Structure formats: structure tokens, C-alpha cells
Tab-separated table of all heavy atoms in Angstrom:
chain	number	residue	atom	x	y	z
A	1	LEU	N	-9.241	2.459	-4.730
A	1	LEU	CA	-8.676	1.327	-4.025
A	1	LEU	C	-9.550	1.072	-2.905
A	1	LEU	O	-9.866	1.953	-2.187
A	1	LEU	CB	-7.222	1.600	-3.563
A	1	LEU	CG	-6.656	0.632	-2.542
A	1	LEU	CD1	-6.458	-0.729	-3.162
A	1	LEU	CD2	-5.380	1.157	-1.988
A	2	ASN	N	-9.815	-0.233	-2.693
A	2	ASN	CA	-10.484	-0.639	-1.402
A	2	ASN	C	-9.309	-1.060	-0.470
A	2	ASN	O	-8.840	-2.220	-0.527
A	2	ASN	CB	-11.428	-1.795	-1.580
A	2	ASN	CG	-12.220	-2.218	-0.334
A	2	ASN	OD1	-11.781	-1.726	0.774
A	2	ASN	ND2	-13.146	-3.059	-0.435
A	3	LYS	N	-8.908	-0.116	0.284
A	3	LYS	CA	-7.681	-0.289	1.159
A	3	LYS	C	-8.030	-1.340	2.286
A	3	LYS	O	-8.947	-1.138	3.000
A	3	LYS	CB	-7.281	1.016	1.832
A	3	LYS	CG	-5.915	0.813	2.691
A	3	LYS	CD	-5.610	1.987	3.444
A	3	LYS	CE	-6.241	1.948	4.832
A	3	LYS	NZ	-5.732	0.933	5.746
A	4	PRO	N	-7.324	-2.396	2.325
A	4	PRO	CA	-7.536	-3.364	3.408
A	4	PRO	C	-7.128	-2.788	4.720
A	4	PRO	O	-6.320	-1.893	4.774
A	4	PRO	CB	-6.680	-4.611	3.000
A	4	PRO	CG	-6.261	-4.397	1.653
A	4	PRO	CD	-6.266	-2.889	1.388
A	5	ARG	N	-7.575	-3.467	5.790
A	5	ARG	CA	-6.993	-3.185	7.138
A	5	ARG	C	-5.528	-3.560	7.180
A	5	ARG	O	-5.080	-4.372	6.435
A	5	ARG	CB	-7.830	-3.916	8.267
A	5	ARG	CG	-9.264	-3.515	8.418
A	5	ARG	CD	-9.890	-4.326	9.486
A	5	ARG	NE	-9.360	-4.024	10.822
A	5	ARG	CZ	-9.396	-4.807	11.882
A	5	ARG	NH1	-10.090	-6.011	11.783
A	5	ARG	NH2	-8.913	-4.515	13.059
A	6	HIS	N	-4.838	-2.925	8.130
A	6	HIS	CA	-3.403	-3.120	8.372
A	6	HIS	C	-2.577	-2.853	7.166
A	6	HIS	O	-1.695	-3.600	6.821
A	6	HIS	CB	-3.246	-4.558	8.845
A	6	HIS	CG	-4.020	-4.947	10.096
A	6	HIS	ND1	-4.362	-6.140	10.471
A	6	HIS	CD2	-4.489	-4.086	11.054
A	6	HIS	CE1	-5.015	-6.132	11.654
A	6	HIS	NE2	-5.086	-4.860	12.005
A	7	VAL	N	-2.973	-1.821	6.457
A	7	VAL	CA	-2.127	-1.291	5.379
A	7	VAL	C	-1.922	0.221	5.625
A	7	VAL	O	-2.898	0.993	6.032
A	7	VAL	CB	-2.757	-1.406	3.966
A	7	VAL	CG1	-2.045	-0.668	2.873
A	7	VAL	CG2	-2.856	-2.868	3.576
A	8	VAL	N	-0.737	0.708	5.626
A	8	VAL	CA	-0.379	2.048	5.893
A	8	VAL	C	-0.664	2.958	4.692
A	8	VAL	O	-0.291	2.570	3.540
A	8	VAL	CB	1.138	2.164	6.252
A	8	VAL	CG1	1.410	3.721	6.541
A	8	VAL	CG2	1.430	1.358	7.440
A	9	SER	N	-1.361	4.067	4.856
A	9	SER	CA	-1.668	5.031	3.722
A	9	SER	C	-0.420	5.823	3.420
A	9	SER	O	-0.317	7.038	3.714
A	9	SER	CB	-2.852	5.933	4.147
A	9	SER	OG	-4.014	5.185	4.226
A	10	ALA	N	0.644	5.164	2.932
A	10	ALA	CA	1.855	5.821	2.556
A	10	ALA	C	2.509	4.989	1.534
A	10	ALA	O	2.216	3.772	1.349
A	10	ALA	CB	2.777	5.985	3.792
A	11	MET	N	3.492	5.577	0.775
A	11	MET	CA	4.135	4.889	-0.250
A	11	MET	C	5.331	4.148	0.298
A	11	MET	O	5.938	3.330	-0.399
A	11	MET	CB	4.663	5.842	-1.333
A	11	MET	CG	3.558	6.756	-1.908
A	11	MET	SD	2.028	5.842	-2.423
A	11	MET	CE	2.693	4.791	-3.767
A	12	HIS	N	5.685	4.342	1.522
A	12	HIS	CA	6.809	3.571	2.240
A	12	HIS	C	6.500	3.661	3.681
A	12	HIS	O	6.174	4.772	4.213
A	12	HIS	CB	8.118	4.150	1.830
A	12	HIS	CG	9.274	3.501	2.607
A	12	HIS	ND1	9.641	2.209	2.444
A	12	HIS	CD2	10.027	3.990	3.568
A	12	HIS	CE1	10.649	1.955	3.277
A	12	HIS	NE2	10.849	3.038	4.024
A	13	ASP	N	6.785	2.554	4.394
A	13	ASP	CA	6.631	2.572	5.844
A	13	ASP	C	7.983	2.220	6.481
A	13	ASP	O	8.477	1.109	6.192
A	13	ASP	CB	5.516	1.601	6.294
A	13	ASP	CG	5.343	1.642	7.783
A	13	ASP	OD1	5.100	2.734	8.384
A	13	ASP	OD2	5.495	0.551	8.418
A	14	PRO	N	8.569	3.083	7.323
A	14	PRO	CA	9.816	2.721	7.956
A	14	PRO	C	9.832	1.474	8.828
A	14	PRO	O	10.823	0.867	9.042
A	14	PRO	CB	10.184	3.955	8.750
A	14	PRO	CG	9.376	5.054	8.217
A	14	PRO	CD	8.102	4.444	7.648
A	15	GLU	N	8.527	1.165	9.287
A	15	GLU	CA	8.437	-0.014	10.175
A	15	GLU	C	8.315	-1.296	9.360
A	15	GLU	O	8.124	-2.402	9.959
A	15	GLU	CB	7.296	0.209	11.100
A	15	GLU	CG	7.369	1.397	12.031
A	15	GLU	CD	6.185	1.572	12.942
A	15	GLU	OE1	5.586	0.509	13.208
A	15	GLU	OE2	6.035	2.707	13.406
A	16	GLY	N	8.211	-1.202	8.060
A	16	GLY	CA	8.162	-2.399	7.290
A	16	GLY	C	6.673	-2.991	7.062
A	16	GLY	O	6.537	-4.146	6.620
A	17	ARG	N	5.729	-2.218	7.443
A	17	ARG	CA	4.304	-2.679	7.340
A	17	ARG	C	3.936	-2.582	5.846
A	17	ARG	O	4.563	-1.867	5.005
A	17	ARG	CB	3.447	-1.954	8.249
A	17	ARG	CG	3.640	-2.116	9.733
A	17	ARG	CD	2.867	-1.168	10.594
A	17	ARG	NE	3.169	0.283	10.351
A	17	ARG	CZ	2.687	1.287	10.921
A	17	ARG	NH1	1.688	1.019	11.900
A	17	ARG	NH2	2.979	2.498	10.714
A	18	ARG	N	2.838	-3.211	5.465
A	18	ARG	CA	2.251	-3.185	4.175
A	18	ARG	C	1.976	-1.622	3.818
A	18	ARG	O	1.360	-0.960	4.661
A	18	ARG	CB	0.929	-4.002	3.991
A	18	ARG	CG	1.162	-5.533	3.982
A	18	ARG	CD	-0.186	-6.190	3.894
A	18	ARG	NE	-0.804	-6.049	2.574
A	18	ARG	CZ	-2.008	-6.407	2.197
A	18	ARG	NH1	-2.800	-6.913	3.256
A	18	ARG	NH2	-2.446	-6.299	1.019
A	19	ASP	N	2.370	-1.203	2.611
A	19	ASP	CA	2.012	0.105	2.232
A	19	ASP	C	1.334	0.046	0.898
A	19	ASP	O	0.923	-1.029	0.391
A	19	ASP	CB	3.315	1.008	2.205
A	19	ASP	CG	4.350	0.365	1.262
A	19	ASP	OD1	3.959	-0.189	0.178
A	19	ASP	OD2	5.563	0.414	1.609
A	20	LEU	N	1.157	1.249	0.241
A	20	LEU	CA	0.376	1.390	-0.928
A	20	LEU	C	1.067	0.909	-2.286
A	20	LEU	O	0.422	0.905	-3.294
A	20	LEU	CB	-0.206	2.776	-1.141
A	20	LEU	CG	-1.141	3.202	0.059
A	20	LEU	CD1	-1.502	4.665	-0.102
A	20	LEU	CD2	-2.337	2.312	0.163
A	21	THR	N	2.333	0.753	-2.171
A	21	THR	CA	3.141	0.466	-3.405
A	21	THR	C	2.656	-0.844	-4.078
A	21	THR	O	2.730	-0.961	-5.333
A	21	THR	CB	4.573	0.367	-3.082
A	21	THR	OG1	4.858	-0.587	-2.072
A	21	THR	CG2	5.128	1.695	-2.713
A	22	GLU	N	2.183	-1.786	-3.312
A	22	GLU	CA	1.712	-3.084	-3.900
A	22	GLU	C	0.423	-2.851	-4.756
A	22	GLU	O	0.120	-3.682	-5.651
A	22	GLU	CB	1.399	-4.084	-2.881
A	22	GLU	CG	0.248	-3.872	-1.979
A	22	GLU	CD	-0.064	-5.016	-0.981
A	22	GLU	OE1	-0.840	-5.870	-1.382
A	22	GLU	OE2	0.467	-4.968	0.166
A	23	PHE	N	-0.247	-1.774	-4.556
A	23	PHE	CA	-1.456	-1.425	-5.352
A	23	PHE	C	-1.079	-0.525	-6.508
A	23	PHE	O	-1.658	-0.573	-7.602
A	23	PHE	CB	-2.560	-0.813	-4.456
A	23	PHE	CG	-2.753	-1.676	-3.194
A	23	PHE	CD1	-2.357	-1.206	-1.899
A	23	PHE	CD2	-3.383	-2.898	-3.306
A	23	PHE	CE1	-2.606	-1.999	-0.791
A	23	PHE	CE2	-3.550	-3.680	-2.141
A	23	PHE	CZ	-3.196	-3.194	-0.925
A	24	THR	N	-0.226	0.476	-6.252
A	24	THR	CA	0.169	1.481	-7.363
A	24	THR	C	1.016	0.872	-8.309
A	24	THR	O	0.977	1.341	-9.528
A	24	THR	CB	0.795	2.702	-6.651
A	24	THR	OG1	1.990	2.347	-6.018
A	24	THR	CG2	-0.043	3.411	-5.699
A	25	GLU	N	1.790	-0.201	-7.994
A	25	GLU	CA	2.655	-0.780	-9.057
A	25	GLU	C	1.896	-1.533	-10.100
A	25	GLU	O	2.474	-1.950	-11.096
A	25	GLU	CB	3.666	-1.724	-8.370
A	25	GLU	CG	3.090	-2.975	-7.773
A	25	GLU	CD	4.045	-3.876	-7.014
A	25	GLU	OE1	5.215	-3.402	-6.853
A	25	GLU	OE2	3.633	-4.940	-6.613
A	26	ARG	N	0.631	-1.648	-9.970
A	26	ARG	CA	-0.227	-2.293	-11.005
A	26	ARG	C	-0.300	-1.370	-12.214
A	26	ARG	O	-0.735	-1.805	-13.237
A	26	ARG	CB	-1.632	-2.577	-10.444
A	26	ARG	CG	-1.608	-3.506	-9.196
A	26	ARG	CD	-2.996	-3.545	-8.663
A	26	ARG	NE	-2.957	-4.327	-7.467
A	26	ARG	CZ	-4.043	-4.519	-6.635
A	26	ARG	NH1	-5.213	-3.990	-6.982
A	26	ARG	NH2	-3.980	-5.242	-5.501
A	27	TYR	N	0.034	-0.142	-12.060
A	27	TYR	CA	-0.150	0.835	-13.165
A	27	TYR	C	1.178	1.439	-13.583
A	27	TYR	O	2.129	1.595	-12.775
A	27	TYR	CB	-1.123	1.989	-12.671
A	27	TYR	CG	-2.525	1.450	-12.268
A	27	TYR	CD1	-2.721	1.122	-10.919
A	27	TYR	CD2	-3.490	1.314	-13.205
A	27	TYR	CE1	-3.940	0.633	-10.546
A	27	TYR	CE2	-4.749	0.762	-12.808
A	27	TYR	CZ	-4.975	0.437	-11.473
A	27	TYR	OH	-6.182	-0.014	-11.162
A	28	ASP	N	1.298	1.736	-14.862
A	28	ASP	CA	2.517	2.352	-15.356
A	28	ASP	C	2.663	3.760	-14.882
A	28	ASP	O	3.786	4.266	-14.700
A	28	ASP	CB	2.528	2.339	-16.893
A	28	ASP	CG	2.700	0.861	-17.437
A	28	ASP	OD1	3.262	0.111	-16.704
A	28	ASP	OD2	2.222	0.629	-18.609
A	29	GLN	N	1.506	4.498	-14.682
A	29	GLN	CA	1.617	5.816	-14.174
A	29	GLN	C	2.049	5.805	-12.718
A	29	GLN	O	1.755	4.874	-11.954
A	29	GLN	CB	0.228	6.577	-14.299
A	29	GLN	CG	-0.088	6.865	-15.676
A	29	GLN	CD	-0.928	5.698	-16.313
A	29	GLN	OE1	-0.762	4.583	-15.951
A	29	GLN	NE2	-1.599	6.016	-17.397
């Protein structure tokens, strides 16, 4: 993944910021 700026390296962010789920949900695994 080419992680953009202002994305949290986590599967969920309590503060509501962009996280990695939008990239992992592209795959069935």
C-alpha cells in the first residue's frame, strides 16, 4: 500500500480519522 498522508496506521481510529480499512476492504482476505 502507498499509504497517503493523514491516514492512521490502524484498523480503527477512535478519533474518527482515516484508517486502513478503506484499503483492506478491497480484498476478501
Side-chain angles (χ1 to χ4, degrees):
L1 164 68
N2 186 349
K3 185 191 89 68
R5 293 180 67 199
H6 301 158
V7 172
V8 178
S9 293
M11 307 312 296
H12 173 70
D13 180 57
E15 300 179 23
R17 295 172 295 181
R18 290 178 70 188
D19 56 38
L20 298 176
T21 55
E22 69 176 271
F23 311 109
T24 59
E25 68 183 6
R26 303 172 184 178
Y27 301 91
D28 290 335
Q29 290 87 341

